[in-house]
């Protein structure tokens, strides 16, 4: 398993949680963004800078991830693509998105996009909070614990 992060809009608190997890477990962590990112020195952590442009980082992650990998993103179309490839997805608020929930998420995203296109102010997501970071950390820890236990049994 590798961890891929759609890092352009990923909160700093989530990146810090991911850095600690990668150092602790040795699981490869790759942050993908269209800007230069700072990462701590570690053989298991790297950053990839892709060219600017719509969905360039998303396309890079889709091409690079494999079944069993974990993708961190709030981007619903990206989540749908990597789930179709067999990857797992957690959003930065700690919600796991899977084949059973992605259809509803895509439908809601498209509906809200249509409303916004019609001039309706749909608001936005609530501000990222410490509770969100805690939920993310708990979800990530549970997934990584299962992964490491499975590796020990192989």
């Amino acid at each position: 398993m590798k961890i891929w992060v759609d890092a352009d809009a990923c909160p700093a608190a989530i990146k810090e949680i991911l850095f600690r997890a990668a150092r602790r477990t040795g699981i490869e962590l790759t942050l993908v963004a269209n800007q230069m990112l700072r990462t701590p020195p570690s053989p298991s952590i790297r950053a990839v800078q892709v060219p600017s442009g719509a969905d360039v980082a998303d396309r890079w992650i889709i091409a690079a991830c494999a079944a069993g990998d974990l993708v961190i993103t709030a981007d619903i179309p990206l989540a749908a693509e990597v789930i179709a490839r067999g990857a797992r997805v957690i959003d930065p608020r700690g919600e796991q998105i899977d084949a059973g929930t992605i259809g509803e998420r895509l439908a809601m995203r498209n509906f809200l996009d249509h409303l916004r296109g019609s001039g309706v102010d749909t608001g936005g997501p609530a501000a990222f909070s410490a509770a969100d970071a805690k939920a993310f950390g708990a979800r990530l820890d549970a997934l990584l614990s299962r992964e490491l236990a499975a590796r020990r049994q192989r």
Side-chain angles (χ1 to χ4, degrees):
M1 173 174 90
K2 296 178 181 177
I3 302 173
W4 305 95
V5 182
D6 182 9
D8 283 317
C10 186
I14 297 307
K15 291 176 192 167
E16 288 301 321
I17 291 168
L18 289 163
F19 294 153
R20 286 192 304 269
R23 285 191 304 258
R24 185 181 81 240
T25 65
I27 292 175
E28 187 178 316
L29 170 66
T30 303
L31 292 90
V32 182
N34 62 18
Q35 59 188 318
M36 183 62 92
L37 296 173
R38 288 187 171 192
T39 60
S42 170
S44 59
I45 301 171
R46 72 182 180 127
V48 173
Q49 183 177 359
V50 298
S52 294
D55 301 325
V56 175
D58 296 358
R59 287 193 303 272
W60 199 96
I61 292 169
I62 292 164
C65 81
D69 285 353
L70 176 62
V71 176
I72 311 303
T73 186
D75 184 308
I76 300 304
L78 171 58
E81 290 284 343
V82 298
I83 288 169
R85 294 178 64 89
R88 293 170 282 187
V89 176
I90 302 175
D91 76 11
R93 295 175 188 270
E95 292 183 44
Q96 189 164 352
I97 305 169
D98 57 28
T101 60
I102 192 62
E104 179 182 334
R105 292 232 182 171
L106 275 169
M108 181 58 75
R109 176 203 174 271
N110 293 339
F111 175 68
L112 292 173
D113 191 46
H114 176 73
L115 286 177
R116 285 188 293 274
S118 301
V120 176
D121 180 9
T122 60
F128 187 79
S129 69
D132 293 326
K134 184 175 181 180
F136 176 85
R139 177 75 66 181
L140 178 67
D141 199 42
L143 279 172
L144 294 180
S145 293
R146 284 195 300 270
E147 173 67 19
L148 294 173
R151 284 183 181 187
R152 282 191 293 273
Q153 296 208 349
R154 292 183 197 145

